[in-house]
């Protein structure tokens, strides 16, 4: 007998769980796109998106997913043949590199593997070697959703500053914005990309690019920017349609309005970050207990190097895949696949999974996921250490 009936829970790292209030805000007839409520509401989104990113500079909204946001950023930073330094710590760093390469950017990729963050010493070597300052931008991922590693953005900024290197610093916060602390201006970030369906708790469909005055200046000569991707009319629109280079994503915008109000004005961004941190620690505590004497381990050994929105882990001998399907079929919880940790054709592929704890999630949801995983390990006979639920509860209890 399956116990999956009831409200299902998608615990994958995007799309994340959406508040009913966001969905309700979207449930309305098509609005007038020439005057009235939509136009006034949209104007309020820009300052709030800047608050979310910690910037007083600029933001453009696109009808796009995260891949579109990458492409938007690339189009405005680069001309064909320009050089980029990409720092990869998992599948998504590689993805941004591929996206840049495909449009003619000359990409130098420094790959830090799947288990460790960006090493500033290697970044320094790569930038020192660029004696003529040909590198126009350094691209990095804040939290790579595949490995769940969190990178120290300020350390990369410090390397650029110490060398006096003029490259832009561009950061993918698609998995971390609204989950992990991020301060665009204080951290000296020039370009930052995000998408609606993760920490922002809105259905997939909106991509965002924040950019600094310095990046704006560089974009004036970037010849990859086509009319659709050009961020300037979007960020400095004189007419409403310019914000979106055409029809606005009307319903997504109403959903976004609701989610920004919830994050910024009701819960408060600092609290949102603290909630994600605690829920993440409860998941890590459970894995640490399961891993005692068993082939179960978190992907990132050092807690300070783990993102707070998603946890990548190994459950050996294909246990991860068996557990994922048990949790969905028997308990209504969908866990994330192990992305980019092994090829889907490799025997090891089934030994990786990810647990998301991003967006509109609270203690009972995350604790429920951990409990269901524990039940699944028992049902499937997957060897695991004892005490995971105690350990998770202790974190939630604040001990
Ligand atoms: C999800 C994600 C992407 C890709 O976003 P899509 O909306 O799937 O295109 C890129 N980078 C990171 C870090 C992500 O988490």
């Amino acid at each position: 007998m399956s116990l999956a009936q009831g409200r299902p829970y998608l615990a994958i790292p995007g799309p994340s769980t959406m508040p009913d209030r966001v969905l309700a805000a979207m449930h309305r007839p098509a609005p007038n796109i020439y005057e009235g409520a939509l136009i006034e509401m949209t104007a309020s989104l820009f300052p709030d998106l800047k608050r979310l990113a910690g910037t007083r500079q600029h933001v453009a909204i696109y009808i796009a997913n995260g891949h579109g946001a990458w492409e938007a950023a690339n189009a405005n930073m680069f001309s064909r043949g320009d050089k980029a330094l990409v720092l990869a710590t998992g599948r998504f760093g590689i993805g941004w590199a591929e996206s840049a390469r495909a449009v003619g950017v000359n990409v130098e990729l420094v790959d830090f593997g799947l288990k460790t963050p960006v090493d500033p010493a290697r970044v320094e070597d790569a930038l020192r070697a660029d004696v003529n300052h040909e590198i126009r931008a350094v691209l990095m991922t804040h939290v790579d959703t595949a490995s769940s590693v969190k990178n120290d953005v300020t350390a990369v900024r410090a390397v650029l500053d110490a060398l006096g290197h003029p490259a832009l610093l561009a950061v993918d916060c698609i998995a971390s914005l609204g989950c992990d602390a991020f301060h665009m201006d204080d951290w000296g970030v020039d370009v930052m990309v995000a998408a609606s369906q993760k920490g922002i708790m809105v259905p997939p469909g909106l991509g965002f690019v924040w950019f600094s005055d310095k990046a704006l200046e560089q974009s004036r000569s970037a010849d990859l920017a086509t009319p659709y991707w050009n961020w300037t009319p979007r960020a400095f629109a004189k007419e409403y349609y310019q914000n979106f280079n055409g029809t606005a994503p009307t319903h997504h915008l109403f959903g976004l309005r609701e989610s920004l109000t919830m994050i910024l004005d009701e819960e408060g961004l600092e609290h949102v970050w603290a909630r994600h941190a605690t829920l993440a620690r409860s998941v890590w505590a459970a894995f640490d207990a399961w891993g005692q004497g068993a082939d179960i381990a978190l992907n990132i050994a050092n807690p300070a190097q783990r993102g707070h929105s998603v946890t990548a882990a190994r459950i050996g001998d294909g246990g991860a895949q068996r557990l994922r399907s048990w949790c969905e079929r028997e308990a209504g919880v969908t866990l994330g696949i192990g992305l980019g940790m092994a090829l889907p054709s490799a025997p090891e592929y089934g030994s990786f999974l990810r647990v998301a704890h991003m967006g509109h999630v609270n203690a009972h949801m995350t604790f429920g996921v951990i409990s269901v995983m524990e039940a699944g390990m028992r049902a499937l006979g997957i060897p695991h250490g004892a005490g995971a639920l105690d350990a998770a509860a202790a974190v939630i209890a604040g001990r």
Side-chain angles (χ1 to χ4, degrees), residues 107-122:
V107 170
E108 178 181 343
L109 180 70
V110 185
D111 193 343
F112 297 87
L114 298 169
K115 293 180 128 348
T116 50
V118 165
D119 172 5
R122 284 181 64 193

Side-chain angles (χ1 to χ4, degrees), residues 41 74 98 285 366:
M41 183 278 291
N74 296 339
E98 288 168 347
T366 300

Side-chain angles (χ1 to χ4, degrees), residues 13-14 64-70 92-93 141-146 172-176 193 195-198 204-206 310 354 358:
N65 59 17
H67 284 70
W70 280 340
F92 289 96
T141 313
H142 187 208
V143 170
D144 196 297
T145 329
D172 172 348
C173 292
I174 296 172
S176 57
V193 298
S196 51
Q197 78 274 22
K198 301 195 184 183
L206 297 179
V310 56
R354 291 171 301 158
M358 70 168 50

Side-chain angles (χ1 to χ4, degrees), residues 285-297 313-317 319-320 322-323 326 353 369-391:
F287 270 98
D288 285 342
W290 286 327
Q292 296 301 315
D295 185 5
I296 297 179
R314 169 189 168 79
I315 302 178
D317 196 23
R322 283 184 290 131
L323 184 60
W326 188 94
L353 57 65
V369 170
I370 297 166
S371 307
V372 159
M373 291 175 71
E374 168 95 18
M377 289 185 203
R378 290 188 192 198
L380 296 168
I382 294 173
H384 61 283
L389 301 186
D390 269 355

Side-chain angles (χ1 to χ4, degrees), residues 313-352:
R314 169 189 168 79
I315 302 178
D317 196 23
Q321 190 154 344
R322 283 184 290 131
L323 184 60
R324 274 198 304 106
S325 69
W326 188 94
C327 290
E328 182 164 75
R329 193 178 66 244
E330 303 294 335
V333 171
T334 303
L335 301 170
I337 59 167
L339 193 70
M341 301 300 294
L343 289 175
S345 56
E348 273 292 270
Y349 181 72
S351 296
F352 298 99

